[in-house]
Amino acid sequence: MSCTAVVERRLRAAGLRVTVQRLAVGEALLHAADHRTAEEVQARLQAESAQPVSLATVYRTLHTLVEHRVVGHLDRGRGSAVYEWLDEQHPHHHALCVDCGAEVEIAPRLLERLERAVKAESRFTPFLDHLAIIGRCAACEAAARSQ
Amino acid sequence: MSCTAVVERRLRAAGLRVTVQRLAVGEALLHAADHRTAEEVQARLQAESAQPVSLATVYRTLHTLVEHRVVGHLDRGRGSAVYEWLDEQHPHHHALCVDCGAEVEIAPRLLERLERAVKAESRFTPFLDHLAIIGRCAACEAAARSQ
DNA sequence: CTTATTGCAAAAGATTTGCACTCCA
DNA sequence: TGGAGTGCAAATCTTTTGCAATAAG
């Protein structure tokens, strides 16, 4: 199945209208191995000139896709937020190194345990699929300690 | 010990210069039971007219206090970030309900377990004291489910 | 006395919005 | 065809910054 078809299928499954802009934004994220900011998504579409999309539409589209859980949203607290395609077959979380920007994958299992514990003890249902974990990767942590 | 004295002690302990502005900002957070945005902190100082502080200084002060772990910082991803006084005697985390805005206290123990697990499995050191947990409180979750 | 801190106003950066136009269902 | 989606430019909102004046240690 082509990438366009994958995106289109997710859009329809979510009950969303299919537009060239939405397909383009979706594909830009689907192709990206890592996170992308809204500007990066637009820049990519500009560069490939396949389908230029206005920044306003990129934001509106991302917002819509996040609402429908097609795309994940990570607010780094500094600079722009980043987005990533959510692969239903391979759920996972990311941790971001504040020093070098490296991304580390976190097994969902670890957070599920936290989710259960919080639910049981605090009667609160956390949305951990939007969780922003920041910290330091092994290398930067070692460097920071040796100082 | 007066509130001013509490704040002053923390400032000195952190090796920071003690200024009226820093004392004022610190006290505004110390008195607040919950989180405050930078604007709310300034508004409070304006209203009490005890010590008006420019918004720029409020931001700079909060930034400094967060760096020195005197104040906690929570980025809600939407709108302004919020800050809270960190009581050394009673460490805890907060979870924010997306529907009603309620805050639920999370025992540090739960996150410590996550921290150890992430460290062990992913060779990544998360800064969990800055963690923003969002989700739904028990009441709102029940309401959402019954729909 | 020396350097950090402050206030002001302007800048910066990210995201949102009004409105007229276009396109999907 | 009707309502959802889009582009453009301007607006918004939060946070940061340059610079001269002030205050802490």
Side-chain angles (χ1 to χ4, degrees), chain A residues 17-18 56 59-60 80-81:
Chain A
R17 283 199 181 180
V18 177
Y59 274 111
R60 278 188 284 228
S80 354

Side-chain angles (χ1 to χ4, degrees), chain B:
Chain B
M1 187 160 54
S2 78
C3 291
T4 310
V6 172
V7 176
E8 183 176 346
R9 168 181 287 202
R10 287 290 287 278
L11 290 177
R12 294 203 189 282
L16 293 170
R17 282 197 182 180
V18 177
T19 67
V20 273
Q21 291 88 347
R22 286 181 175 172
L23 290 174
V25 169
E27 277 193 77
L29 289 178
L30 182 53
H31 286 142
D34 53 350
H35 293 129
R36 289 275 159 86
T37 66
E39 294 234 357
E40 286 166 353
V41 167
Q42 195 209 17
R44 177 154 181 156
L45 300 183
Q46 290 278 316
E48 297 186 342
S49 73
Q51 176 60 46
V53 179
S54 76
L55 193 54
T57 295
V58 171
Y59 274 111
R60 279 188 285 228
T61 301
L62 288 173
H63 192 259
T64 302
L65 296 183
V66 168
E67 263 188 338
H68 290 82
R69 312 246 162 168
V70 174
V71 158
H73 169 268
L74 183 67
D75 194 317
R76 294 173 299 180
R78 189 51 102 108
S80 355
V82 287
Y83 301 83
E84 66 171 341
W85 181 262
L86 294 183
D87 181 353
E88 293 171 306
Q89 308 308 311
H90 178 52
H92 64 281
H93 301 275
H94 279 133
L96 235 72
C97 176
V98 289
D99 287 349
C100 70
E103 292 188 3
V104 175
E105 204 167 292
I106 304 285
R109 174 172 41 84
L110 300 182
L111 289 178
E112 279 160 17
R113 198 193 293 164
L114 173 69
E115 183 177 357
R116 280 198 303 275
V118 170
K119 262 188 183 164
E121 295 203 13
S122 308
R123 293 169 40 74
F124 185 91
T125 307
F127 298 165
L128 295 185
D129 51 343
H130 287 174
L131 193 62
I133 295 187
I134 60 168
R136 261 199 287 260
C137 69
C140 292
E141 176 67 9
R145 290 201 180 209
S146 68
Q147 278 192 345

Side-chain angles (χ1 to χ4, degrees), chain A residues 53-115:
Chain A
V53 178
S54 77
L55 193 53
T57 295
V58 171
Y59 274 111
R60 278 188 284 228
T61 302
L62 288 173
H63 192 261
T64 302
L65 297 183
V66 167
E67 262 187 339
H68 289 82
R69 311 248 163 169
V70 174
V71 159
H73 169 267
L74 184 67
D75 194 316
R76 293 175 298 181
R78 190 48 103 109
S80 354
V82 287
Y83 302 84
E84 70 171 337
W85 182 261
L86 294 183
D87 182 352
E88 294 170 308
Q89 309 306 312
H90 178 52
H92 64 281
H93 302 275
H94 279 131
L96 235 74
C97 177
V98 289
D99 287 349
C100 70
E103 292 189 3
V104 175
E105 202 167 293
I106 305 286
R109 174 173 42 85
L110 300 182
L111 289 177
E112 278 160 17
R113 199 192 294 163
L114 173 68
E115 184 177 355

Side-chain angles (χ1 to χ4, degrees), chain A:
Chain A
M1 186 160 55
S2 80
C3 292
T4 310
V6 172
V7 176
E8 184 176 345
R9 167 180 292 202
R10 288 289 287 277
L11 289 177
R12 293 204 189 281
L16 294 170
R17 283 199 181 180
V18 177
T19 68
V20 274
Q21 291 89 345
R22 285 181 175 174
L23 290 173
V25 168
E27 278 194 74
L29 288 177
L30 182 53
H31 287 143
D34 52 350
H35 292 129
R36 289 276 161 83
T37 65
E39 294 233 356
E40 285 166 354
V41 167
Q42 194 209 18
R44 177 156 182 155
L45 300 183
Q46 289 279 315
E48 296 183 344
S49 72
Q51 176 60 47
V53 178
S54 77
L55 193 53
T57 295
V58 171
Y59 274 111
R60 278 188 284 228
T61 302
L62 288 173
H63 192 261
T64 302
L65 297 183
V66 167
E67 262 187 339
H68 289 82
R69 311 248 163 169
V70 174
V71 159
H73 169 267
L74 184 67
D75 194 316
R76 293 175 298 181
R78 190 48 103 109
S80 354
V82 287
Y83 302 84
E84 70 171 337
W85 182 261
L86 294 183
D87 182 352
E88 294 170 308
Q89 309 306 312
H90 178 52
H92 64 281
H93 302 275
H94 279 131
L96 235 74
C97 177
V98 289
D99 287 349
C100 70
E103 292 189 3
V104 175
E105 202 167 293
I106 305 286
R109 174 173 42 85
L110 300 182
L111 289 177
E112 278 160 17
R113 199 192 294 163
L114 173 68
E115 184 177 355
R116 279 198 305 273
V118 170
K119 262 187 185 165
E121 296 205 12
S122 307
R123 295 170 38 76
F124 185 91
T125 308
F127 298 164
L128 296 184
D129 51 343
H130 286 173
L131 193 62
I133 294 186
I134 60 168
R136 261 198 285 261
C137 69
C140 291
E141 176 66 11
R145 289 199 181 212
S146 69
Q147 278 191 348

